[in-house]
Amino acid sequence: MTALETTLETVVWTAVCRVQDLATERGAAALLGTDQVALFRLLDGRVLAVQQHDPFSDAHVISRGIVGSRSVDGVEVPTVASPMYKQVFDLTTGRCLDVAGKVPARGLSPDLRTWPVRVSDGLVEVGR
């Protein structure tokens, strides 16, 4: 591949709910194909999506976590704390910010997968 060649990925958007169905600062789970996704509507109106599967407890519970924020490199980022062992994840990147003294189950990555989200005509759409 040369520097001039690029690969274009086609994002397929799937409507999962109405934005008004999401409570602010609370999570909701959605099924996206075979993936379980945790959706979070923030106070500023953004909707973010991360994997529902908690890599530390090996359970699908992230949408039940506590939403908050943390300063990361001087920038305030939205977070969710797992309801199981209280690991804290950056909702924008999925990065685990605090392992809370645990290691992920089955050799899993400590970070959460993220999906692009958009709101179109009041519908929350998740891309893949």
Side-chain angles (χ1 to χ4, degrees), residues 24-112:
T24 306
E25 298 282 308
R26 305 274 183 191
L31 191 58
L32 188 65
T34 59
D35 296 312
Q36 290 187 36
V37 177
L39 298 167
F40 295 91
R41 181 178 173 197
L42 305 180
L43 288 174
D44 64 8
R46 286 183 294 165
V47 178
L48 301 173
V50 297
Q51 73 187 40
Q52 171 74 335
H53 183 252
D54 177 352
F56 292 86
S57 68
D58 208 18
H60 291 83
V61 295
I62 294 297
S63 66
R64 300 293 183 200
I66 299 170
V67 176
S69 65
R70 221 180 240 192
S71 179
V72 176
D73 299 326
V75 176
E76 201 72 15
V77 298
T79 61
V80 63
S82 169
M84 299 299 285
Y85 301 131
K86 311 304 182 235
Q87 286 75 22
V88 177
F89 302 93
D90 180 336
L91 283 172
T92 58
T93 65
R95 188 172 130 220
C96 182
L97 302 175
D98 184 355
V99 298
K102 299 280 186 184
V103 295
R106 299 182 290 117
L108 296 170
S109 167
D111 301 328
L112 302 178

